[in-house]
Amino acid sequence: MQPAELNLARYSVRLDSETDFAGWRDAARRLALNEVKPEDIGWHVASDSTQTDLPAVPAGAQLAVPRDFIGHAETAFCHSDPGRFAFLYRLLWRLRSEPKLLSIASDPDTRRLETMEKAVRRDSHKMHAFVRFRKIGDGDDERYVAWFEPDHFIVERNADFFVRRFTGMRWTILTPYASADWDGKRLAIGPGAAKGDAPTQDDTEALWRTYFENIFNPARLKVKAMQKEMPKKYWRNLPEASLIPELIAGADKAAKDMIARMPTTPAPHHAKVQAKHWPKREPAEATEDDGATTISALREAAKGCRRCPLWRDATQTVFGEGPDNARVIFVGEQPGDQEDIAGKPFVGPAGKVFDAILDDAGVDRRKVYVTNAVKHFKFEPRGKRRIHSKPNAGEVQACRWWIDREFAQIKPDLAVALGATAALSLLGKAIPVTKMRGQVIEREDGLRVLITIHPSFILRIHEPADKDAERERFLRDMREVKRLMAA
């Protein structure tokens, strides 16, 4: 709001900073309960301006708004739109008489709120992806400094992410409007800085460029999508940016060369292992050990599983992994191509997404148990590739034998069903995952089962904004897992 408008306003509210959500929330509550209309309020952030004395909360008055409004408002508050304070108060004002407002997708205010939230989430995603630390000093003086230019006021919102990710480092992230500093014990938010305050390079960047050049996958390159996901404004702060034009120019030839030498059929040593441990025989000769009393014994017994025909084409059984005393078991659908070859669950692309989001949610991957509803890879061969094929209900039921014994040994407090196949295995019936997502269902034996999507669903989304939104929803589900673990 402009100064002239502030003078006309009945109430002038001064916020301590661009991210003073607590101050806005307190003022908004006071004003709304005293029936102060949106047009009678001027909102501003200025250290030298004055604030009108706000009215007290009337005795016994309560402000009733939908529970999820606070979460939406807190996200949108980080947007750089200078009119966001007044806009959010107008939404609050309308919600008192229109409690279903946020579910009306055609309403202009609802659309504007969603657009602001998406922009903030996308900016946060960019910060997670494109912050690059550079080392300064040695020994006791060693620390890492990064320069980043966000579009919105997201430093405070994302600082905890970097604390969790880089707990053992002393680091500082500088941006034009705020800085975040972690000394190994305490996180401090300070004023903004200039780009010249950050180092321009360090000794490790040549090594990083070599690494980036070698992990670059030309077969997955989509230039327009890459530039949409990684706008050129971030390139100047990335050591690897100097390699990108050359890598793009040679991507087509490199992709053809890579495809020619990389079949996804099992490597020869896997075939030898399969022949040694699992000779072809009929299901009646299965070697299940019903007396197995540890996860290790179950894993060994499962190597000879013949409960369904999937073992014939798979490389090996992929059993669950994690501590025997885990409080939470995550159940996926089945091993993928990479899991089948590695013999470990959740090590492919979906597993990397899963690990990253668990880390963002503060869930220690080392303290949970991960497994699949079906223990063998089901696929359809297409040339040299093996394409995932969804297991049917009979195959899920056959493998339920192993799931039940994993749960009997570990005795978790909570199970997380990652997708419809996992839900079918754990609950014995088909579940509409998108409809029941986030719900906790208690089985007859007392086990709580939280329903959510499989992380591979995120990988299948092509639109970056939709992918970011789905990732955020899955992150909320994982934070709920952490809350239930703590409870």
Side-chain angles (χ1 to χ4, degrees):
M1 183 171 286
Q2 299 301 316
E5 293 174 285
L6 289 175
N7 294 332
L8 296 174
R10 180 181 169 193
Y11 287 96
S12 177
V13 181
R14 183 187 67 204
L15 301 176
D16 291 340
S17 70
E18 297 283 0
T19 54
D20 182 17
F21 182 73
W24 177 90
R25 185 176 179 180
D26 177 68
R29 179 170 176 268
R30 290 168 178 263
L31 294 165
L33 288 173
N34 282 276
E35 303 298 330
V36 179
K37 297 179 180 179
E39 58 266 28
D40 291 334
I41 308 169
W43 302 88
H44 53 106
V45 179
S47 58
D48 57 349
S49 58
T50 59
Q51 173 170 295
T52 308
D53 290 335
L54 299 179
V57 174
Q62 291 186 342
L63 185 61
V65 294
R67 183 178 300 177
D68 58 349
F69 170 70
I70 297 300
H72 291 301
E74 196 166 11
T75 300
F77 199 86
C78 297
H79 199 278
S80 57
D81 184 349
R84 65 192 183 280
F85 312 129
F87 165 67
L88 290 172
Y89 184 79
R90 184 172 77 243
L91 266 181
L92 175 67
W93 183 263
R94 291 186 62 190
L95 282 166
R96 298 172 69 201
S97 58
E98 304 173 68
K100 302 289 187 181
L101 175 62
L102 296 183
S103 63
I104 303 175
S106 59
D107 185 89
D109 282 347
T110 300
R111 292 203 307 271
R112 180 180 175 185
L113 178 66
E114 290 178 351
T115 300
M116 293 171 72
E117 286 187 274
K118 279 187 177 181
V120 170
R121 286 196 300 264
R122 185 169 176 78
D123 209 27
S124 296
H125 174 64
K126 293 293 183 286
M127 186 173 183
H128 295 177
F130 300 132
V131 161
R132 293 290 187 272
F133 288 105
R134 291 183 165 104
K135 178 184 171 182
I136 59 173
D138 293 296
D140 293 340
D141 295 326
E142 178 184 287
R143 67 181 303 107
Y144 294 81
V145 180
W147 170 255
F148 187 71
E149 299 173 50
D151 292 328
H152 305 288
F153 302 107
I154 60 169
V155 172
E156 295 94 326
R157 182 181 179 86
N158 290 279
D160 284 339
F161 167 86
F162 291 96
V163 170
R164 294 193 304 271
R165 184 62 61 88
F166 303 107
T167 305
M169 287 169 39
R170 292 189 300 164
W171 51 260
T172 301
I173 299 175
L174 303 176
T175 79
Y177 88 91
S179 61
D181 182 85
W182 172 250
D183 64 3
K185 296 180 180 179
R186 183 182 62 89
L187 176 66
I189 303 298
K195 186 174 182 180
D197 296 329
T200 56
Q201 61 181 357
D202 65 15
D203 295 337
T204 64
E205 292 190 3
L207 179 62
W208 168 249
R209 282 190 289 268
T210 300
Y211 170 74
F212 181 82
E213 187 174 13
N214 281 275
I215 65 167
F216 177 76
N217 186 348
R220 302 189 66 183
L221 176 66
K222 295 181 180 179
V223 177
K224 290 184 178 179
M226 181 194 73
Q227 291 181 350
K228 186 174 182 181
E229 185 68 20
M230 186 173 68
K232 288 189 176 181
K233 64 170 282 188
Y234 299 110
W235 290 20
R236 58 182 176 269
N237 297 321
L238 302 178
E240 65 270 26
S242 60
L243 301 173
I244 293 176
E246 183 178 351
L247 291 173
I248 290 175
D252 186 57
K253 181 179 183 301
K256 291 177 180 177
D257 292 344
M258 185 182 72
I259 292 171
R261 65 175 181 266
M262 286 186 63
T264 62
T265 51
H269 68 277
H270 285 292
K272 292 177 182 178
V273 169
Q274 187 175 26
K276 178 181 178 182
H277 291 287
W278 311 305
K280 300 285 185 179
R281 56 184 175 180
E282 293 304 311
E285 299 180 56
T287 58
E288 295 155 359
D289 180 6
D290 202 9
T293 56
T294 66
I295 289 295
S296 296
L298 282 171
R299 183 177 295 109
E300 188 64 28
K303 291 180 179 179
C305 180
R306 304 291 185 268
R307 296 186 65 83
C308 76
L310 294 184
W311 67 274
R312 294 182 181 277
D313 297 317
T315 304
Q316 57 191 309
T317 305
V318 180
F319 208 71
E321 284 195 341
D324 291 6
N325 61 348
R327 296 178 59 194
V328 178
I329 294 182
F330 289 89
V331 181
E333 182 187 77
Q334 66 161 354
D337 181 83
Q338 294 185 28
E339 286 84 0
D340 174 69
I341 293 176
K344 294 178 178 292
F346 288 84
V347 296
K352 290 179 173 59
V353 171
F354 177 66
D355 287 351
I357 295 178
L358 279 189
D359 186 55
D360 291 353
V363 177
D364 191 339
R365 174 71 161 76
R366 298 166 299 179
K367 295 182 179 179
V368 302
Y369 188 89
V370 294
T371 189
N372 282 297
V374 173
K375 302 293 192 277
H376 286 110
F377 179 34
K378 182 178 182 180
F379 62 91
E380 295 178 2
R382 294 184 188 172
K384 294 182 178 180
R385 303 179 63 198
R386 300 187 298 169
I387 306 301
H388 164 278
S389 180
K390 184 177 180 179
N392 60 42
E395 291 155 350
V396 173
Q397 180 59 34
C399 224
R400 175 75 182 267
W401 195 93
W402 295 108
I403 288 286
D404 288 345
R405 279 151 184 76
E406 286 177 292
F407 275 79
Q409 291 298 326
I410 295 174
K411 298 179 176 62
D413 299 326
L414 177 70
V416 181
L418 300 171
T421 300
L424 173 63
S425 175
L426 292 172
L427 300 173
K429 60 182 179 181
I431 293 293
V433 171
T434 54
K435 182 178 179 180
M436 300 186 65
R437 179 180 189 167
Q439 295 186 30
V440 176
I441 299 173
E442 186 167 327
R443 299 196 321 190
E444 291 183 0
D445 61 0
L447 177 68
R448 296 176 299 164
V449 179
L450 185 143
I451 308 297
T452 186
I453 62 161
H454 193 283
S456 62
F457 177 67
I458 299 173
L459 294 174
R460 294 195 296 269
I461 300 174
H462 298 295
E463 176 58 41
D466 293 340
K467 185 187 289 283
D468 291 345
E470 187 56 50
R471 188 186 190 282
E472 188 69 21
R473 283 192 287 270
F474 190 66
L475 176 58
R476 286 201 298 267
D477 291 341
M478 295 303 99
R479 285 173 175 158
E480 176 65 7
V481 170
K482 182 181 180 183
R483 187 191 70 79
L484 292 170
M485 289 172 66

